[in-house]
Amino acid sequence: MGRARRSRERVLEHLTELRRLPLGGGPAPAFRERLRAELLSAQRLPEPVRARRSHRRPGRRLSWLSQAATFGLAAAMMLSAFVTYHALPGDTLYPLKRAAESTLVRLSTDDVQRAERELVSAKTRAAEVAQLLGSSGDGPLVTKTLKEMEDSTRSGIRRLERAEPRSPKINRFARDQKTMVEPMLERMDGDQQDKATGYLDYIDGLVAPR
């Protein structure tokens, strides 16, 4: 049995003895001295333990708070990134999404990588058009997004043709875009159809004959 535990038990015994005294009667002087000595002894034993714990607890608390803050920040960033990634033209976070895309393009290490990222942006605009179609009041946004899709496509294709003439990536991109854009035509109004048809004619011309 540990010393601290023995001391605590002796104190409890003395307190039990004290409770047995009749009301109004005080303990004997010898009992008071013995109890005082035991209490002081018990107090001296926990003090080093408390001191050690006092040194550890702030660190543990700070560590826990730091971990919680890091986890919370990471979760918030992941949620923000998820929401931003799925933002559509007209949404509050959409400018942030476009700024992130532009930053990736600017940070590209070479023309091929930059071209590929511009073509990824064009695919993203096509997906946004598909989601916008049918929403009331989003006609101007559809038209604007179609134009941005074409701008990204032309810029990416020009850059890729300079860096990798006759690259098979161009064929794959053109086929993928046609598969995505062509089914949307029936859901577009006249002006939108004209813009989308002109875009399809352009990417059709990119596909090398088999």
Side-chain angles (χ1 to χ4, degrees):
M1 184 182 294
R3 183 179 175 188
R5 183 178 175 184
R6 286 197 303 270
S7 180
R8 287 196 301 271
E9 289 186 352
R10 284 197 296 271
V11 171
L12 290 173
E13 289 173 0
H14 293 324
L15 291 175
T16 301
E17 183 181 347
L18 183 61
R19 284 199 298 269
R20 294 196 188 104
L21 293 174
L23 291 175
F31 177 83
R32 286 201 300 266
E33 287 301 319
R34 195 167 70 251
L35 179 60
R36 179 175 179 275
E38 295 289 353
L39 289 172
L40 289 174
S41 176
Q43 182 179 4
R44 283 194 296 268
L45 285 171
E47 279 178 354
V49 177
R50 283 198 299 267
R52 289 194 299 270
R53 288 178 178 173
S54 67
H55 287 300
R56 288 198 302 263
R57 283 176 182 170
R60 289 180 182 177
R61 182 180 178 84
L62 289 174
S63 176
W64 182 86
L65 289 175
S66 176
Q67 291 175 6
T70 301
F71 176 79
L73 179 61
M77 290 176 66
M78 288 176 65
L79 178 61
S80 176
F82 177 82
V83 174
T84 301
Y85 179 78
H86 288 85
L88 293 175
D91 291 347
T92 304
L93 291 176
Y94 188 72
L96 182 59
K97 176 181 179 178
R98 295 302 305 274
E101 287 182 7
S102 297
T103 300
L104 283 175
V105 170
R106 288 196 301 271
L107 293 177
S108 301
T109 57
D110 55 46
D111 279 347
V112 173
Q113 188 181 68
R114 182 163 185 164
E116 289 173 346
R117 286 178 175 173
E118 287 180 318
L119 296 181
V120 168
S121 293
K123 288 184 176 182
T124 302
R125 301 291 84 77
E128 291 169 355
V129 170
Q131 290 181 272
L132 287 171
L133 284 172
S135 301
S136 59
D138 283 340
L141 290 176
V142 171
T143 303
K144 183 173 182 291
T145 306
L146 283 169
K147 181 181 184 306
E148 291 171 347
M149 176 183 69
E150 182 169 352
D151 291 344
S152 293
T153 298
R154 290 182 180 276
S155 176
I157 292 298
R158 284 195 301 269
R159 198 179 302 277
L160 191 55
E161 284 178 333
R162 288 197 302 268
E164 290 185 357
R166 296 181 296 278
S167 171
K169 298 172 185 175
I170 296 175
N171 281 9
R172 288 197 298 269
F173 169 81
R175 293 192 179 101
D176 289 346
Q177 282 294 89
K178 183 174 182 179
T179 300
M180 187 177 293
V181 174
E182 202 167 45
M184 302 181 199
L185 291 174
E186 60 185 20
R187 292 189 288 157
M188 295 179 178
D189 63 27
D191 291 340
Q192 294 166 355
Q193 281 186 351
D194 290 343
K195 185 171 288 295
T197 300
Y199 178 78
L200 289 170
D201 290 341
Y202 166 66
I203 61 175
D204 276 343
L206 300 174
V207 179
R210 295 181 179 180

